[in-house]
Amino acid sequence: MKVHFFATLRPMAGSKTVDFGLPEGTTIRSLVEAIVTRFPPMRQELLDADGNLYLHVHVFVNGRDTHFLPLGMDTALSLSDVLNVFPAVGGGAW
């Protein structure tokens, strides 16, 4: 399962795309746990103290934000799904 990392997460992962050898049917929650296990510094960037995905972090599955999927983090993944992980992004001037 390939995961694409963006912005400040990319240097933590060491590349734009990382392959996770997870089986078909793995949930988004399990994938995120695999991510923070493999890249411990990402835990504080992605998860709150209760282990829930921060609202300002976005995991997209095939272009759909996890926050808006009917099963949310408990959505089962297919090996052909395209996953993108975005941290909070801010900046610019008014």
Side-chain angles (χ1 to χ4, degrees):
M1 193 167 300
K2 294 192 184 305
V3 179
H4 306 284
F5 293 98
F6 293 85
T8 57
L9 299 177
R10 192 170 290 171
M12 291 181 196
S15 67
K16 176 183 178 180
T17 304
V18 177
D19 190 33
F20 288 83
L22 299 172
E24 179 95 16
T26 294
T27 64
I28 297 168
R29 186 177 312 280
S30 294
L31 172 64
V32 170
E33 188 56 41
I35 290 170
V36 299
T37 297
R38 188 163 173 184
F39 306 110
M42 283 194 201
R43 182 173 297 275
Q44 68 183 20
E45 302 295 322
L46 302 178
L47 304 176
D48 65 19
D50 296 322
N52 297 311
L53 194 67
Y54 285 120
L55 291 177
H56 60 267
V57 171
H58 297 278
V59 176
F60 287 85
V61 180
N62 301 323
R64 296 193 61 209
D65 193 331
T66 300
H67 296 295
F68 300 107
L69 295 174
L71 297 177
M73 294 288 286
D74 295 319
T75 300
L77 297 169
S78 168
L79 295 179
S80 62
D81 287 338
V82 176
L83 293 122
N84 298 297
V85 182
F86 293 88
V89 179
W94 288 90

